[in-house]
Amino acid sequence: MEPLRSYTAGRWRSPSDEGSALHDAVTGEETARLSTAGIDRAAALAHGREVGGPALRELTFHQRAALLKSLASYLREHRQELYELSARTGATRADSKFDVDGGIGVLFSYSSKGRRELPNATVHTDGGAEPLGKQGTFLGQHIATPLRGVAVQINAFNFPVWGPLEKLAPAFIAGVPTLIKPAEQTAHLTHRLVELIVESGILPEGSVQLLCGNAGDLLDHLTEQDLLSFTGSASTAQRLRAQDNVVRQSVRFNAEADSLNCSVLGPDATRDTAEFDLFVRQLVTEMTVKAGQKCTAVRRAFVPEGRVDEVVEAVVDRLAGIEVGDPRNPEVGMGALADLEQREEVRRGLKGLLEAGRLVHGDPWKPFDPVDADYEQGAFVPPMLLRCDDPELPQPHEIEVFGPVATVLPYRDAEHAVELANRGGGSLVGSVVSGDTEFVRTVVLGAASRHGRMLVLNGSDAEESTGHGSPLPQLVHGGPGRAGGGEEMAGIRGVLHHMQRTAVQGDPDTLTALTGQWVPGSTRTTTGTHPFRKYLEQLRVGDSVVGGPRGITAEDVRHFADFTGDEFYAHTDEEAAAANPFFGGLVAHGYLVVSLAAGLFVAPEPGPVLANYGLENLRFLTPTYPGDEITVTLTAKRITPRHNADYGEVRWDADVTNQHGESVAKYDVLTLVAKEGTTSG
Ligand code: NAP
């Protein structure tokens, strides 16, 4: 059998030796051979930096997001063959969906977030401009630009599709090329995934490469612009983090490592409650999905003391109904571990746990008859539940057995549950299954600093809950301490991880030119056509209109109060308003000021401006009194053409001032503006 090829420096490359064999987790047959002998890692990294990076940086965030969406659709069309290969790793169809569909889902989600939450530009502005001098000629602005290196990902074996895709998506949106190094056991599935990506021809050359096998000297060639994103065991994380070149070059390093995740059953959850049932069902799911080879799986189940017997009985009852065997058989609820070595690993780890607890279900040393499979050939174990009556013993809080294994432990009260949860030394996720808000509050706030994610599960949210074990692209995936101290995804936060934040100091015009976003103090163009009469392409950042002045009378204020029903005393009761510490007399409604300002800046006839879809950052800064005169200056601040739409978004800076030149209100007006040549305008 030919060893799997790597995709580096623009083509598929065969290793120079025959490599080592990979085996089907179910039948033990050889499925592939693996080696990276002779593959030039330095050249792969250079190709990413010199070909992939520049191609990506040519594109805006929105263009990259659109490519990611096309890729997601392409992979979805081809997912059947990924499922089939996935079954050879021991995964049931449900497990495969978790991996394959989950990974594709992350691409869709990042594509959508990239288009909605980032500008259609190549620079991200982080926060507003910071005034640094009294006259407004010197400002600071944080910007984020893509690192000019490669996002190297070293993956664990358990999610051969989701793992590479959840790391690729934020890197790609950021404009950073990726090099994927899969774990040995399931590399053939990642190999097919990358083949599909390359075959699709959707992504720019150099933006995705594959080193299919051993990392070799890869880390020695990293530079300070590269990133290293690792998923795997805590011991490997420790080794890679301390690698000489990684330390010397301060390579941005992210680790997702082991985690002794917990689930806490609240004291309110007696046997007849929905929460009791949810706790038991969730524990069984967490033990059996991917045969427990899931970094987020519940390893420690904390139960009020006195309720351990009931919980153990209910969990064992459910586990007894789980069929173990060939994952292709739809009756099978749990497939095989990744390989026979993993089975040995599970047995070794379990010996450690047995120093503290005892098995109440499942025995990995006792052969059994898996459905449609041979126990000797496939990496089968039963789900294993332990009971440990002394929660102070160290083993359950220290030993992660990466298989279908969990331990039930008692706790005394909420504080004790927090203490025990935190003994995991930093975890990816913890669940609290309870409808008792006080209890939940104590546990979540007490354990949050040691968890990346916390799920509160109860009768109110169960139907919609995405579950304990599912990391979501919108939310942080990662955890402190033992869990690696890293963070992945979390929406756009994960994109920014691949970018350098730089504080740029300078004059307003320069900052506007650098960011493509108008900053206060930079030039405004107030001559010529009203900006509301310009199509998206004609509009320039800095295009402005000044409206007013317009006087505000006591009658205006009274009328507005009558008309809207907003008769708050500051607008209607002279005596009470005079006693107000901020106003000292009757004042105009803030909304009246904003409404009058709109009347001063709009161009009323039909035109390219299609709609006002909101205001942001509205602040009333100075009271407006009857007799005052207001003037509004509206300036195009950011122009965002929408990909695949005949309009775009325009954000306007609105500054309403009084006759003394003081700002009375500041806000952003959000509009949709037609592109030229469309019928909309
Ligand atoms: P592992 O043995 O640490 O391997 C992880 C990856 O590191 C593999 O790709 C491996 O490559 C690579 N690797 C090992 N030594 C290396 C070195 N010296 N230089 C470069 N790369 C090296 O972990 P695993 O057994 O695959 O995965 C199971 C562990 O991962 C569990 O402990 C689990 O908790 C953890 N995990 C964590 C998460 C998370 O998101 N936090 C997710 C999944 C799994 P080879 O395969 O080629 O050796």
Side-chain angles (χ1 to χ4, degrees):
M1 193 177 281
E2 286 291 307
L4 297 173
R5 294 178 302 165
S6 289
Y7 184 74
T8 60
R11 64 183 178 83
W12 288 100
R13 293 168 195 276
S14 296
S16 56
D17 66 14
E18 62 185 25
S20 55
L22 300 186
H23 296 101
D24 187 307
V26 181
T27 62
E29 286 166 330
E30 185 172 316
T31 50
R33 299 195 71 80
L34 200 65
S35 167
T36 50
I39 307 287
D40 187 341
R41 282 98 169 152
L45 290 170
H47 184 73
R49 291 181 206 117
E50 288 158 20
V51 177
L56 285 173
R57 293 196 299 273
E58 280 283 300
L59 306 173
T60 65
F61 292 113
H62 289 202
Q63 288 169 325
R64 291 174 210 144
L67 293 181
L68 217 49
K69 186 173 180 186
S70 305
L71 178 68
S73 304
Y74 182 86
L75 292 177
R76 196 163 56 179
E77 278 168 33
H78 292 80
R79 64 189 155 162
Q80 196 58 35
E81 51 178 307
L82 294 176
Y83 292 158
E84 274 149 32
L85 276 178
S86 177
R88 307 202 77 180
T89 70
T92 62
R93 182 49 64 96
D95 295 341
S96 303
K97 286 189 170 198
F98 201 93
D99 186 29
V100 176
D101 296 15
I104 294 171
V106 176
L107 298 185
F108 276 120
S109 172
Y110 265 96
S111 169
S112 160
K113 282 197 162 286
R115 279 174 290 126
R116 280 175 216 293
E117 297 175 32
L118 291 171
N120 196 1
T122 53
V123 178
H124 171 69
T125 51
D126 180 347
E130 296 281 344
L132 300 174
K134 287 210 166 69
Q135 293 164 27
T137 62
F138 188 56
L139 307 173
Q141 171 72 57
H142 288 99
I143 63 168
T145 53
L147 288 173
R148 303 220 168 186
V150 176
V152 171
Q153 38 166 280
I154 297 187
N155 292 307
F157 68 82
N158 56 342
F159 285 107
V161 177
W162 179 83
L165 294 183
E166 62 98 13
K167 290 186 170 80
L168 167 68
F172 190 86
I173 296 281
V176 179
T178 287
L179 184 130
I180 300 169
K181 186 230 142 341
E184 195 178 305
Q185 297 94 321
T186 52
H188 51 305
L189 180 47
T190 308
H191 181 268
R192 184 60 196 136
L193 170 73
V194 177
E195 270 185 348
L196 286 170
I197 295 175
V198 174
E199 282 164 21
S200 78
I202 293 167
L203 306 190
E205 172 46 42
S207 58
V208 177
Q209 299 184 82
L210 172 73
L211 182 65
C212 202
N214 192 278
D217 63 355
L218 180 67
L219 271 50
D220 294 334
H221 301 292
L222 297 180
T223 69
E224 88 293 348
Q225 288 291 300
D226 298 315
L227 302 104
L228 181 55
S229 182
F230 169 79
T231 300
S233 60
S235 56
T236 311
Q238 208 172 332
R239 204 158 351 116
L240 300 191
R241 194 194 297 278
Q243 201 266 4
D244 279 354
N245 188 46
V246 170
V247 173
R248 199 169 40 246
Q249 306 268 4
S250 305
V251 173
R252 214 174 271 191
F253 181 71
N254 192 77
E256 299 295 332
D258 326 353
S259 181
L260 286 149
N261 313 294
C262 67
S263 176
V264 184
L265 179 69
D268 54 312
T270 51
R271 182 122 208 189
D272 52 347
T273 60
E275 284 73 23
F276 186 96
D277 194 42
L278 289 166
F279 180 86
V280 169
R281 276 195 286 154
Q282 173 167 280
L283 182 55
V284 171
T285 302
E286 290 300 313
M287 289 175 70
T288 53
V289 169
K290 294 285 293 180
Q293 302 167 110
K294 205 152 56 67
C295 55
T296 50
V298 173
R299 304 291 174 200
R300 300 173 298 152
F302 297 121
V303 171
E305 57 185 10
R307 208 163 296 146
V308 174
D309 288 340
E310 282 176 290
V311 170
V312 165
E313 189 191 325
V315 177
V316 168
D317 239 26
R318 275 196 164 261
L319 289 175
I322 303 282
E323 297 276 11
V324 179
D326 185 339
R328 294 168 192 87
N329 184 325
E331 301 297 312
V332 163
M334 190 176 99
L337 297 172
D339 61 16
L340 291 172
E341 174 49 31
Q342 248 347 87
R343 180 156 75 183
E344 284 316 307
E345 205 42 58
V346 164
R347 286 172 176 162
R348 267 195 295 275
L350 200 67
K351 277 190 185 154
L353 284 184
L354 286 172
E355 288 171 19
R358 62 191 164 87
L359 275 168
V360 289
H361 182 85
D363 178 349
W365 291 279
K366 194 169 148 202
F368 63 98
D369 278 333
V371 179
D372 294 347
D374 180 344
Y375 181 80
E376 295 305 323
Q377 303 301 321
F380 295 102
V381 287
M384 290 157 270
L385 187 71
L386 290 99
R387 171 184 180 144
C388 172
D389 291 324
D390 181 358
E392 308 307 330
L393 290 172
Q395 293 86 346
H397 310 289
E398 289 175 2
I399 301 172
E400 185 208 37
V401 180
F402 207 54
V405 180
T407 305
V408 178
L409 301 124
Y411 71 85
R412 286 189 304 277
D413 52 26
E415 282 71 26
H416 191 214
V418 168
E419 204 184 295
L420 294 174
N422 290 344
R423 282 189 60 185
S427 305
L428 293 171
V429 52
S431 277
V432 192
V433 189
S434 171
D436 175 344
T437 320
E438 236 348 271
F439 176 80
V440 169
R441 189 172 185 278
T442 305
V443 176
V444 170
L445 298 186
S449 76
R450 289 196 175 80
H451 288 78
R453 179 162 62 86
M454 298 211 69
L455 166 73
V456 180
L457 185 64
N458 53 40
S460 309
D461 66 7
E463 201 180 322
E464 285 204 301
S465 168
T466 49
H468 173 101
S470 304
L472 299 176
Q474 302 88 328
L475 305 183
V476 161
H477 175 55
R482 177 166 180 162
E487 270 193 15
E488 283 178 346
M489 302 196 293
I492 298 305
R493 295 173 191 88
V495 174
L496 296 179
H497 178 71
H498 296 82
M499 305 181 83
Q500 178 61 40
R501 182 162 47 226
T502 307
V504 182
Q505 296 169 278
D507 62 283
D509 278 334
T510 304
L511 293 185
T512 294
L514 280 174
T515 59
Q517 180 174 316
W518 185 86
V519 300
S522 60
T523 305
R524 290 184 167 110
T525 309
T526 47
T527 50
T529 315
H530 188 293
F532 274 27
R533 309 232 57 85
K534 292 184 181 177
Y535 287 94
L536 204 67
E537 299 83 346
Q538 299 163 337
L539 205 54
R540 296 287 170 270
V541 157
D543 281 354
S544 295
V545 57
V546 180
R550 186 207 198 277
I552 296 187
T553 64
E555 179 47 34
D556 288 334
V557 178
R558 242 186 330 271
H559 172 70
F560 194 76
D562 287 348
F563 179 55
T564 61
D566 178 353
E567 293 177 343
F568 186 63
Y569 73 89
H571 314 304
T572 52
D573 180 339
E574 216 156 306
E575 206 176 311
N580 180 294
F582 297 110
F583 305 135
L586 284 179
V587 289
H589 304 68
Y591 302 126
L592 171 59
V593 171
V594 169
S595 304
L596 292 175
L600 295 174
F601 65 63
V602 293
E605 305 79 19
V609 176
L610 306 173
N612 168 1
Y613 72 98
L615 297 184
E616 273 183 9
N617 310 321
L618 172 61
R619 285 287 177 279
F620 298 118
L621 302 162
T622 310
T624 301
Y625 297 97
D628 281 355
E629 283 188 339
I630 59 164
T631 300
V632 60
T633 307
L634 189 79
T635 308
K637 186 172 182 177
R638 186 199 277 174
I639 301 166
T640 309
R642 266 203 199 173
H643 194 75
N644 290 343
D646 50 11
Y647 60 88
E649 286 143 25
V650 180
R651 177 181 287 265
W652 308 81
D653 176 87
D655 185 11
V656 185
T657 51
N658 62 19
Q659 64 280 13
H660 309 298
E662 297 164 320
S663 286
V664 299
K666 277 182 187 279
Y667 47 102
D668 287 355
V669 177
L670 310 174
T671 60
L672 300 178
V673 176
K675 292 180 181 169
E676 213 165 0
T678 59
T679 49
S680 334

